[in-house]
């Protein structure tokens, strides 16, 4: 049985521009799903280019860092 928790998915681009969107995580499996699609345009109107980092903000304020390896994405506490 899934236990889905609403979280904020944050991607950081081009040296610090943050894009925030809604997502859900299955706390039993760690599977991130239903990431809200948002436009990748910075404050100057340019399309973002280089992804610097990604993390999740949990409802309790905890931040979980996302890395990508050979086996897919992994989630770690900050």
């Amino acid at each position: 049985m899934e236990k889905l928790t609403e979280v904020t998915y944050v991607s950081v681009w081009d040296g610090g521009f943050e894009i925030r969107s809604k997502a859900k995580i299955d706390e039993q499996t760690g599977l991130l799903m239903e990431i809200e699609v948002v436009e990748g345009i910075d404050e100057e109107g340019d399309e973002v280019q280089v992804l610097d980092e990604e993390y999740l903000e949990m409802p309790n304020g905890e931040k979980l860092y996302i890395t990508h390896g050979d086996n897919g994405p992994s989630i770690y506490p900050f």
Side-chain angles (χ1 to χ4, degrees):
M1 185 172 158
E2 293 179 337
K3 181 177 187 294
L4 298 181
T5 300
E6 291 188 13
V7 297
T8 300
Y9 168 78
V10 182
S11 56
V12 182
W13 297 84
D14 301 332
F17 181 73
E18 288 187 2
I19 297 177
R20 304 170 74 78
S21 59
K22 297 177 185 175
K24 292 183 181 175
I25 188 170
D26 182 332
E27 289 192 46
Q28 294 178 343
T29 65
L31 180 64
L32 183 61
M33 58 185 82
E34 297 183 33
I35 301 172
E36 176 185 34
V37 177
V38 296
E39 195 169 17
I41 303 295
D42 66 17
E43 65 271 348
E44 296 170 358
D46 297 323
E47 188 172 311
V48 295
Q49 300 289 319
V50 179
L51 177 62
D52 297 323
E53 66 178 333
E54 304 168 275
Y55 62 92
L56 301 178
E57 290 181 350
M58 302 298 288
N60 65 1
E62 179 183 17
K63 292 183 180 179
L64 301 175
Y65 185 68
I66 302 171
T67 61
H68 296 271
D70 293 337
N71 297 323
S74 298
I75 300 171
Y76 300 96
F78 259 63

